[in-house]
Each structure stands twice: as C-alpha cells, then as structure tokens.
Amino acid sequence: MISVRIFAGLLALSSMLTGPLAFAAPTPSEMLAEMRAAHGGDALMTLTSARMRLYTREPGAKLPHVTDMHYDFRNTAIAKEETSEAGLERKIAGAGRGYSYIDGHCAPLPEAEENKMMRSLYSNFLFLLSDSQTILAPAEPGAPTTAPYAGLAWYNIYRPGWKGFHIGVDTETGLIGGLWFGGKSYGRELDYRRIDGVMWPYRFEIYEGSKLVNTGHFSDLMFSRTGDDEIKVPDYCMQLLTPK
C-alpha cells in the first residue's frame, strides 16, 4: 500500500503539472493564426487602408493632442495630420517620397522623421496582423506577469528589418491585452469594439513602471477594402520635391 507521505507527494506533483506552471502557451504560428481570426478573419485580412482620429493626453494636460491617421496597407504608406505651433501640418511617409506640407509649403521629410512615421505604421495591429511578412516569435525574458497582465501569453512581434515589441495575448479570446516595450515600459489595450467586422481597441494606457504617462482613445474609424483610398504625394508637392 502506498504511504501517506508518498501519496501527498504525488498529489503535489500532479498539481504542479496541471496547474499554472504547466500552462503551455500556443506556439507563435498558432497564436498568430488565432489572433488573425479573433481580430476579424477575412474582414481583417482584406483591408487595404484605414483611417482614424487619435486623441492622446499626458497626465495633467487640459486638452488632448489630436492626430488624424491614414494607413495605406497595400502600398505600405502612412499619412498623419495634426496641428502644431506652426499650424496645420500634413506628413506622408512610404509613398515614394516622404514630405511635410505646412502653411502652403512642401518640404522633404527628414529621414529620422520618416523612419519614426514608418515605425508607427509597422507597430499598428491592423498592419501587423494583415501583413504576410509579420513575424511572431517567443518572448524575451522579463515580460510582466502580475496584474493586470497576469494570464497573458507573451510574444515578440515585428516586421523584418524593424525593431519590434512584445504583446500579451489573451489565449481565450485571441485579443491583444498587454504591451511591453522593454524595461518597465508597459501598455494596456482596452475597450475592444467590432467595427466593420474588425476588432479594435478604442482605448490604451502607457505606463513607466506603475506611473501612468499617457492615455489615448480613437474615434472615426473607417476601413477600405477596395484599394481606392491609397496615399499619394500630391502633384503640387511632387513638383517641388523633384530635383530640377
């Protein structure tokens, strides 16, 4: 007959094997397929462009900063329009020639600014999940595991040639719930809603450690699947940007 001590040890071992320590997250390829299905399936994968208005606010700010975003997934381009001290400014990157248009004047977009805008495109979930070149890889050590990130499966997501970041995925829903940018820089994706067949988080929060450093929310989301809403450098700017 098995002793009580041995039986207790077997129970403890069984608990370890079937409890949280034995949880096996889906492989990156399995998780990527699950996320694509959860965020809209065909409705997501057939997107050619997206437009949205982004409101961001730092703690203590009286008013949010408003940016109109335009993502051209088919042509891998991005445009944004926002008001700065100099006035209303429109910038385009990835459309053959990056440029900035402000106060009736076109100017080439500095390389650093163009790279910054392209990173914004390459970190957009709609682009990453619908792009065939996106890579999902095992997470590096150090991803957050305590509340509110407990229970998320962590992965590194990126496009070849560009630095990625980590996402925490709810394995029950396939939706992205957490962000980890390295160190103690974290983010949360909140308030998912279905718009035109696609799941999108309407709010987010960014933290440095336990300190909230930025919040954001979206409005006026519009999707296209026709390819007609592409980003182009206007002729009046192209003439000014083309060397004589």
Side-chain angles (χ1 to χ4, degrees), residues 36-57:
R36 283 170 169 158
H39 285 81
D42 288 342
L44 166 74
M45 302 304 291
T46 54
L47 290 179
T48 57
S49 68
R51 291 177 182 264
M52 61 193 70
R53 178 164 289 177
L54 169 62
Y55 303 80
T56 57
R57 186 197 303 259

Side-chain angles (χ1 to χ4, degrees), residues 30-215:
E30 292 171 341
M31 193 72 261
L32 186 56
E34 183 177 339
M35 283 193 295
R36 283 170 169 158
H39 285 81
D42 288 342
L44 166 74
M45 302 304 291
T46 54
L47 290 179
T48 57
S49 68
R51 291 177 182 264
M52 61 193 70
R53 178 164 289 177
L54 169 62
Y55 303 80
T56 57
R57 186 197 303 259
E58 296 180 358
K62 294 182 179 180
L63 297 173
H65 182 76
V66 182
T67 308
D68 287 322
M69 307 296 300
H70 181 187
Y71 300 95
D72 184 346
F73 303 133
R74 175 173 291 184
N75 296 300
T76 318
I78 180 174
K80 69 177 185 178
E81 190 173 279
E82 58 192 342
T83 300
S84 65
E85 294 181 355
L88 184 65
E89 182 175 17
R90 178 175 172 82
K91 296 179 181 179
I92 282 180
R97 188 69 181 270
Y99 84 95
S100 171
Y101 179 78
I102 187 170
D103 194 24
H105 176 68
C106 285
L109 201 63
E111 183 178 359
E113 182 66 20
E114 186 162 11
N115 287 339
K116 181 179 179 180
M117 288 187 63
M118 294 306 293
R119 282 196 300 270
S120 179
L121 171 65
Y122 292 153
S123 62
N124 181 278
F125 293 154
L126 298 176
F127 176 83
L128 285 171
L129 293 178
S130 62
D131 182 41
S132 62
Q133 295 190 51
T134 293
I135 296 174
L136 196 69
E140 299 168 8
T145 57
T146 57
Y149 307 100
L152 298 179
W154 288 92
Y155 302 86
N156 187 20
I157 190 167
Y158 62 96
R159 196 172 194 268
W162 291 81
K163 182 180 179 180
F165 57 100
H166 284 75
I167 55 173
V169 186
D170 184 329
T171 56
E172 292 187 1
T173 65
L175 299 178
I176 299 168
L179 309 171
W180 179 44
F181 307 106
K184 295 185 177 182
S185 181
Y186 313 113
R188 298 180 65 197
E189 298 292 345
L190 305 163
D191 192 16
Y192 271 92
R193 306 179 197 174
R194 189 175 296 278
I195 174 74
D196 195 11
V198 176
M199 291 296 287
W200 178 257
Y202 269 70
R203 295 191 300 115
F204 64 84
E205 298 173 344
I206 304 297
Y207 293 84
E208 288 294 336
S210 60
K211 181 181 178 182
L212 179 67
V213 296
N214 211 323
T215 61

Side-chain angles (χ1 to χ4, degrees), residues 219-240:
S219 72
D220 303 302
L221 268 73
M222 294 183 295
F223 299 144
S224 176
R225 298 179 176 86
T226 65
D228 295 333
D229 189 31
E230 63 181 325
I231 294 175
K232 295 181 179 179
V233 178
D235 290 340
Y236 56 82
C237 280
M238 185 60 77
Q239 295 172 3
L240 295 173

